Amino acid sequence: MKPNVYITRKIPEPALARLREACDISMWEEEDIPVPREILEREITKADGLFCLLTETIDEALLEKAEKLRVISQMAVGYNNIDVHAASRRGIVVTHTPGVLTETTADLTFALLLATARRLVEAEHFLRRGEWKTWSPMLLTGRDVFGATLGIIGLGRIGEAVARRAKGFDMKVLYYNRNRKPEAEKSLGVIYTDLDSLLQESDFVCVLTPYTPQTRDLIGERELALMKDTAVLINTARGGIVNEAALYSALKNGRIWAAGLDVFEQEPVSPDHPLLSLPNVVALPHIGSASVQTRIKMAMMAANHLLQALRGQVPDYVVHPDAIKK
């Protein structure tokens, strides 16, 4: 008998075809609506494998209903929506999709930095509203990127990719990371520093660290107060790393100049969120990896991980290796 697999969202056809060859598939067909919890609770009781996204909460209460689940394959790099320890206790393998989205997310991060620095969204709306009446010396003036200082918090794969892009703009690149990275310092010319110094010296600060209990509210009122009043904060990592109430206050009161955000603590973010009322915020709907090529690659990787685990193999990217029975 083929193993049963539940897919929580409609995925690209190449990945779906690969899973259909080896598994009996059930899938939530709505592209823009997350699978309702009651349906997920019902489907998890039958599933040998679960293919999921960040939009699903895979907690202990759900896993208690999983009678034969062997693998949770997440189509994302992050996995803070999954109770990994609860899965591990049950011998359930949890996988994710790092690496494949590095360059695409770095592209988006730098695009968001440029858009925020040069007020592109604000300027586009200004034009479409018919408010452009004449050229004016200081109309919609932004911040120079070329030659500025960039601070990267979290020099992982994406952080290094952003640093490579920054070099094309002749930026001085500082970084703060849990571990110092001498090879990156040598190859990219990045400079290691402590967090406070990075915040004080940088014209642009990019948050690219993983979300963990240790990084929750890593950037709060104290940290924002250290930044230049001309500085720009970019977050394409995870919501919750930047304290949103503190960020709103800093932007509203001019303690920092602007922010570009692709992630929020609660997603989808409410249109009434205070940050969205500010003209110096560029906000995106978590599209860091949203290119056609990358999303297909992510889906294929997640499908391969799921099949590897169901065949008794060790998947390529396991979040919690202790879950694998020797």
Side-chain angles (χ1 to χ4, degrees), residues 38 93 124 143 249:
E38 61 270 18
V93 178
E124 198 259 358
R143 297 289 170 189
S249 178

Side-chain angles (χ1 to χ4, degrees), residues 88 91-93 313-315 318 320-326:
S88 180
I92 300 169
V93 178
Q313 302 167 348
V314 178
V318 178
H320 206 268
D322 292 345
I324 299 175
K325 295 179 181 178
K326 306 298 182 182

Side-chain angles (χ1 to χ4, degrees), residues 19 22 28 46 83 180 183 222 226 238 255 276 294:
L19 290 172
W28 177 248
K46 303 177 287 184
D83 189 333
R180 190 165 180 173
E183 287 300 317
R222 187 191 77 85
L226 293 173
R238 284 289 179 273
R255 291 199 296 275
L276 301 188
T294 294

Side-chain angles (χ1 to χ4, degrees), residues 220-289:
E221 183 177 356
R222 187 191 77 85
E223 289 74 24
L224 291 163
L226 293 173
M227 294 173 64
K228 299 176 181 180
D229 60 10
T230 56
V232 174
L233 178 72
I234 305 295
N235 186 8
T236 55
R238 284 289 179 273
I241 299 172
V242 178
N243 183 289
E244 292 176 357
L247 178 61
Y248 174 80
S249 178
L251 290 163
K252 181 77 172 176
N253 296 315
R255 291 199 296 275
I256 66 171
W257 191 72
L261 307 171
D262 186 42
V263 291
F264 294 86
E265 187 165 3
Q266 296 294 326
E267 296 182 355
V269 67
S270 168
D272 298 325
H273 194 293
L275 283 168
L276 301 188
S277 70
L278 299 176
N280 53 345
V281 171
V282 177
L284 302 176
H286 204 149
I287 58 169
S289 63

Side-chain angles (χ1 to χ4, degrees), residues 7-33:
I7 306 171
T8 63
R9 194 69 64 88
K10 191 172 181 179
I11 61 174
E13 184 57 36
L16 190 57
R18 180 164 295 184
L19 290 172
R20 279 199 182 112
E21 290 176 359
C23 307
D24 288 328
I25 299 297
S26 298
M27 181 171 68
W28 177 248
E29 296 281 353
E30 298 288 342
E31 292 194 47
D32 299 321
I33 303 172

Side-chain angles (χ1 to χ4, degrees), residues 44 48 54 61 71 76 126 130 135 139 145 168 175 182-183 187 199 202-203 232 244-245 253 284 304 306-307 309 320:
I44 202 78
D48 298 289
L54 286 166
V71 55
F126 178 85
W135 186 90
L139 176 66
V145 176
Y175 81 96
E183 287 300 317
S187 63
L199 293 169
S202 297
D203 300 301
V232 174
E244 292 176 357
N253 296 315
L284 302 176
N304 288 338
L306 192 147
L307 292 174
H320 206 268

